[in-house]
Amino acid sequence: MDSLQAILLALVQGLTEFLPISSSGHLILPSVLLGWPDQGLAFDVAVHVGSLLAIVWFFRGEVFAIAQGSVTTIKTRQLNEHSQLLIFLALATVPAGLSALSFNDFIEAQLRSPLVIATTTLVFALLLLLADKTGARRKSIIEMSLWAAFIIGCAQAIALIPGTSRSGITMTAALLLGFQRDAAARFSFLMSIPIIFLSGAYKGIELLSMPAPAWDLIAIGVVVSAVSAYACVYWFMAVIERMGMLPFVLYRIVLAAILFALFL
C-alpha cells in the first residue's frame, strides 16, 4: 500500500464510519475496482484511532460532563443526568461486546462476502427509512432509559454483520423508540466511543506479535481519518433535523445496486 492508497482508504473510513451508509460497503470497492490489497491490521487500527480521536474531540463537552458527573455521583452516591448517561452507554455496549466475543470468528469466515454486504446495505436502508418515517421523534436524549439503551445496544450488536452500518442501525432503533433525529444521532455517536476503543484495543493486542508497521502510512491513516470523520460528524449534526434520513437511504440503495451488479 502506497501513500495515495492510504489517504483514500483513510478518507473513505473517516467519511463513512459515522454516517448511516455502511463503511464496509465502501471499503470493499477499492480492492475490487482497483485491485488494491487488503489494508492490513495495523492500518485498520490506525484509522480506528483517528475516528476515535475525532468523535471524542467533537463531543468533548459531553465527555467531560459525563466524567465530572460520574465523579460527583461517586462522592454523593446520587445519580445525576450525566452519570445516568454513562450507565446507559455502558449498558448499550454490552450486547455488541458479548456478540463480538461469541460470533466474531463466524462472521469473519461466513458473512464478509460482497453479496452479504450488498444485501444488508439494502435491507437496513429500507428499515432506516421506515424508522425515520414512522418514529414519533418526540424524545430527547435526557429521556433515555435502561430499556431503550439496551434495545439500541442490541441493535449495535447486529452491526457486526458487514454492510449493516453501526450508526445506521443504532439510529434506526432510536428512531423506532420515538427519539428525535438529533438525539438518535447523538446517542449513536457517543455509543461509538467505547465500542471503537474496545475494537481498536483488541486489534492492537494482535499487533504485538507482528512486525513493525510502516509508520508513515500509520500516521496518514490516523490524521486523514480523524480530520474527515470530524468534518463528517460536524456536517451531519448540523443538517440531520431538517434533512432527515432519506438522502442516506437513497445513497445506500444505489450502493447496494452497484455491489449487486459487480458481484452477482
Side-chain angles (χ1 to χ4, degrees):
M1 182 170 62
D2 58 30
S3 297
L4 180 60
Q5 293 173 2
I7 291 171
L8 180 58
L9 289 174
L11 187 63
V12 170
Q13 173 70 26
L15 292 176
T16 59
E17 176 70 28
F18 298 112
L19 291 181
I21 56 175
S22 171
S23 59
S24 56
H26 289 78
L27 289 172
I28 194 175
L29 292 176
S31 62
V32 173
L33 298 178
L34 303 175
W36 289 0
D38 183 84
Q39 63 195 54
L41 181 61
F43 192 79
D44 193 35
V45 171
V47 294
H48 276 79
V49 169
S51 298
L52 181 62
L53 293 174
I55 203 70
V56 170
W57 181 251
F58 185 87
F59 288 104
R60 59 192 180 279
E62 285 89 338
V63 171
F64 179 77
I66 290 171
Q68 192 175 45
S70 300
V71 171
T72 300
T73 291
I74 293 173
K75 291 179 178 179
T76 64
R77 298 185 181 181
Q78 291 184 333
L79 288 174
N80 52 66
E81 64 178 274
H82 300 299
S83 57
Q84 279 185 322
L85 182 56
L86 178 63
I87 292 172
F88 298 149
L89 292 171
L91 177 61
T93 302
V94 171
L98 293 177
S99 297
L101 291 174
S102 302
F103 303 112
N104 186 65
D105 291 342
F106 173 79
I107 291 170
E108 289 290 328
Q110 304 295 329
L111 299 181
R112 294 196 66 84
S113 73
L115 291 181
V116 169
I117 294 174
T119 301
T120 52
T121 297
L122 176 61
V123 169
F124 289 108
L126 299 177
L127 187 59
L128 176 60
L129 179 62
L130 176 66
D132 194 42
K133 296 299 182 184
T134 62
R137 300 208 304 268
R138 289 195 298 263
K139 296 179 182 177
S140 66
I141 198 169
I142 63 172
E143 297 176 87
M144 185 62 62
S145 65
L146 287 172
W147 175 247
F150 178 72
I151 294 298
I152 299 171
C154 289
Q156 181 170 241
I158 298 173
L160 293 170
I161 303 173
T164 302
S165 171
R166 192 209 61 82
S167 59
I169 192 64
T170 52
M171 290 182 203
T172 296
L175 289 168
L176 287 173
L177 290 169
F179 286 90
Q180 301 163 359
R181 289 168 178 156
D182 176 84
R186 190 171 294 275
F187 192 71
S188 172
F189 291 152
L190 288 172
M191 283 173 64
S192 73
I193 294 175
I195 207 69
I196 293 176
F197 175 80
L198 292 173
S199 175
Y202 180 79
K203 293 178 179 180
I205 292 173
E206 294 183 48
L207 282 177
L208 297 177
S209 60
M210 297 183 179
W215 290 109
D216 56 336
L217 299 181
I218 296 301
I220 289 173
V222 172
V223 172
V224 174
S225 63
V227 173
S228 57
Y230 184 91
C232 182
V233 173
Y234 181 90
W235 171 79
F236 186 80
M237 293 302 296
V239 303
I240 185 58
E241 280 294 347
R242 62 178 183 272
M243 177 183 288
M245 298 297 180
L246 182 59
F248 306 103
V249 171
L250 295 176
Y251 183 88
R252 287 183 66 141
I253 291 173
V254 171
L255 176 61
I258 292 172
L259 292 174
F260 279 123
L262 288 172
F263 297 107
L264 269 180

